[in-house]
Amino acid sequence: MTRAFLALLRRDLILSVRIGGGFELVLIFFLMIVALVPFAVGPDPNLLSRIAPAILWIAALLATLLGLDRLFQADAEDGSLDMLRMARLPLELAALAKMAAHWLASGLLLALAAPALGLLLSLEPAAMLPLSLTLLVGTPALTAIGAIGAALTARMRRGGLLSSILVLPLMLPTLIFGVSATQAALGGGVPFRTPLLMLGAISLIAIVLGAWASAAALRMDD
Amino acid sequence: MTTMFARLANPTVFLVLTRRLLPALAGLTALLFAAGLYLSFAASPADYQQGDTVRIMYVHVPAAWLSMLIYTLIAISALGTLVWRHPLADVAAKTAAPLGACFTLLCLLTGSIWGRPMWGAWWVWDGRLTSVFVLFLIYLGLIALQRTIEDPGQAARAAAIMAIVGFINIPIIKFSVDWWNTLHQPASVFRLGGPSVDPTMLWPLMVMAAAFLFLFVTLHLASMRNELLRRRIRTIALLNSRTQPA
């Protein structure tokens, strides 16, 4: 069972590396959003450094959504989803493997790239490591929640928009605690640990719920 | 209880039963609204601090309770769809979602009108306001999902999964005023140690809450009947198109 899980994970990672529109596009999209903000709000460094954690989190959220609509759709189209459903590996674990591959090719990279992009937004150096840490802990939740929407709309032709409408409200708690953890690291009322632990809890719940709900959604038509 | 649910699984029994029940329910709703509106506008005192604006409460609070109650009903129906495959569960969930969205919007709007004179702002991003707003968005997403998938059976199961996942927001709304120290006042009716609202205001509020509840039940049953009839027409049309080749 572990072998099947790892094989699926490996396959999805290879696909995201070799097929255009994979992980590098996610990073470029992330960079684009960050570059757009100074044009929109003006290049004042004080303002930018104050809203930098929020911008980076929103950019991460949008960049995560980007790859999600193809998460199950591509498999539904070429029939590999039917193979996965017949396989001995429980569909919940298959969904988990796909979620893990998606996170490795998006969330993890975003967390690693965030400090460099923080420089562009004159983020305070003290906040860079905490910001990366919050993204590392929080983005699995974004992937897992997004996977539910992706699974629900897997067989629709233009499910991307509907999927975003469904999952964005559910991603709000992650966003709230992610940004408040970064703000706490910059000095505030609460210690950094509290919102970070909440963020970890949200991620763990979201992973379990996401695996279960997306598997249920993929089994919808039988 | 189980036998009643099983008997209602037959849509025809449900249609007959609700046809007899609906006029009585509608009459009761009208009576409760007449009593509730009289009590809340004429017979209850103005607040010593808020003046007459406190009367917004008699619409705002019942709408807020209903917004959460209806979502809970949808989540239970979702279980009915996924676990027991009850044929009416999906009809109940599908027709409750637009009603729930309406009551949530009513709650947000009256809250906003009440907030303007009391807090000095139409809207603040406070814990409870935000979580009710998220509930409204979840309702809209749910309605969009139900309408997008063509096959009724698949739409039902997709919406059921979404409804259960979104149910996490309900406890967040309920306890938001206890978890975060916010502008919105904490629970004042359903709390340990009894309600902190004065009886002269509690009674009108309860009558209005009952009126709103029966309004919802009436509208929901009527709309479930419509949905059942609509599905019958769809089935008949499909059968006809199959038997009569063009």
Side-chain angles (χ1 to χ4, degrees):
Chain A
M1 206 174 275
T2 322
R3 269 183 53 205
F5 182 86
L6 290 176
L8 188 59
L9 181 70
R10 201 166 146 256
R11 164 185 174 269
D12 268 38
L13 273 179
I14 291 177
L15 279 175
S16 76
V17 174
R18 294 203 185 147
I19 292 181
F23 74 100
E24 70 278 19
L25 272 193
V26 175
L27 277 182
I28 296 171
F29 185 71
F30 193 42
L31 180 66
M32 288 279 195
I33 299 179
V34 170
L36 281 179
V37 172
F39 288 106
V41 302
D44 174 24
N46 289 328
L47 176 66
L48 282 179
S49 100
R50 199 157 53 84
I51 59 174
I55 295 166
L56 287 168
W57 258 95
I58 289 180
L61 205 150
L62 294 176
T64 310
L65 276 181
L66 191 68
L68 274 170
D69 57 332
R70 296 296 290 168
L71 187 63
F72 297 108
Q73 206 177 38
D75 286 346
E77 277 165 10
D78 67 11
S80 30
L81 188 61
D82 297 319
M83 304 305 278
L84 282 178
R85 284 175 56 180
M86 280 188 286
R88 213 181 300 164
L89 183 72
L91 198 53
E92 281 81 3
L93 281 181
L96 191 65
K98 293 188 75 69
M99 276 153 49
H102 177 267
W103 179 75
L104 287 174
S106 65
L108 181 63
L109 295 177
L110 297 180
L112 296 177
L117 296 181
L119 276 179
L120 290 177
L121 297 171
S122 46
L123 181 69
E124 283 180 42
M128 284 187 181
L129 205 62
L131 180 72
S132 268
L133 196 59
T134 55
L135 281 171
L136 202 64
V137 174
T139 43
L142 299 183
T143 297
I145 296 168
I148 302 172
L152 283 170
T153 56
R155 294 186 195 276
M156 285 179 209
R157 220 159 294 143
R158 276 176 299 160
L161 185 61
L162 179 62
S163 167
S164 310
I165 289 175
L166 289 176
V167 297
L168 273 176
L170 300 174
M171 289 179 174
L172 271 180
T174 322
L175 185 70
I176 292 171
F177 284 107
V179 174
S180 67
T182 321
Q183 304 284 17
L186 283 170
V190 279
F192 177 58
R193 232 172 89 92
T194 320
L196 188 72
L197 288 179
M198 281 299 283
L199 202 58
I202 291 174
S203 274
L204 292 175
I205 295 170
I207 290 169
V208 175
L209 195 67
W212 169 80
S214 36
L218 292 174
R219 281 198 212 100
M220 201 155 68
D221 49 354
D222 56 26
Chain B
M1 198 66 184
T2 330
T3 48
M4 193 188 87
F5 266 17
R7 246 164 61 80
L8 281 178
N10 181 345
T12 313
V13 176
F14 178 82
L15 283 176
V16 172
L17 205 68
T18 45
R19 197 181 58 213
R20 284 190 211 141
L21 264 176
L22 267 178
L25 281 172
L28 190 60
T29 308
L31 280 179
L32 279 169
F33 261 110
L37 288 174
Y38 170 74
L39 280 174
S40 50
F41 279 101
S44 74
D47 190 75
Y48 81 99
Q49 216 176 7
Q50 305 191 7
D52 274 330
T53 44
V54 76
R55 300 189 200 280
I56 298 175
M57 172 180 78
Y58 304 121
V59 177
H60 176 71
V61 174
W65 282 342
L66 267 188
S67 70
M68 289 193 280
L69 181 82
I70 296 173
Y71 198 90
T72 312
L73 177 92
I74 294 177
I76 295 171
S77 310
L79 276 183
T81 305
L82 291 177
V83 180
W84 301 293
R85 308 255 169 138
H86 194 285
L88 284 181
D90 157 49
V91 178
K94 189 178 177 190
T95 50
L99 289 171
C102 286
F103 282 113
T104 314
L105 185 64
L106 184 66
C107 166
L108 287 171
L109 289 179
T110 51
S112 177
I113 295 168
W114 198 5
R116 179 65 197 153
M118 288 307 115
W119 300 340
W122 293 105
W123 184 262
V124 284
W125 289 99
D126 132 309
R128 177 159 275 185
L129 274 70
T130 310
S131 49
V132 174
F133 185 61
V134 171
L135 178 68
F136 182 60
L137 294 179
I138 292 178
Y139 270 124
L140 294 187
L142 205 57
I143 296 170
L145 185 65
Q146 285 165 341
R147 306 265 152 114
T148 311
I149 304 178
E150 228 169 278
D151 178 67
Q154 270 193 46
R157 304 192 65 186
I161 294 166
M162 189 60 214
I164 291 176
V165 171
F167 186 65
I168 300 171
N169 194 34
I170 293 294
I172 295 183
I173 297 177
K174 175 78 187 88
F175 296 111
S176 58
V177 277
D178 305 329
W179 290 345
W180 294 289
N181 194 6
T182 60
L183 205 51
H184 196 286
Q185 65 166 337
S188 4
V189 178
F190 297 117
R191 61 179 211 131
L192 286 177
S196 61
V197 180
D198 192 77
T200 51
M201 290 186 183
L202 191 62
W203 271 108
L205 180 62
M206 284 306 169
V207 176
M208 278 303 267
F212 266 76
L213 182 66
F214 275 95
L215 176 68
F216 165 67
V217 172
T218 313
L219 290 176
H220 189 218
L221 286 180
S223 137
M224 278 177 78
R225 282 175 60 84
N226 288 347
E227 177 69 19
L228 278 174
L229 295 173
R230 204 176 295 134
R231 286 185 186 189
R232 280 196 177 173
I233 292 170
R234 183 176 185 271
T235 317
I236 293 170
L238 280 177
L239 283 176
N240 279 346
S241 66
R242 219 171 281 162
T243 48
Q244 297 164 356

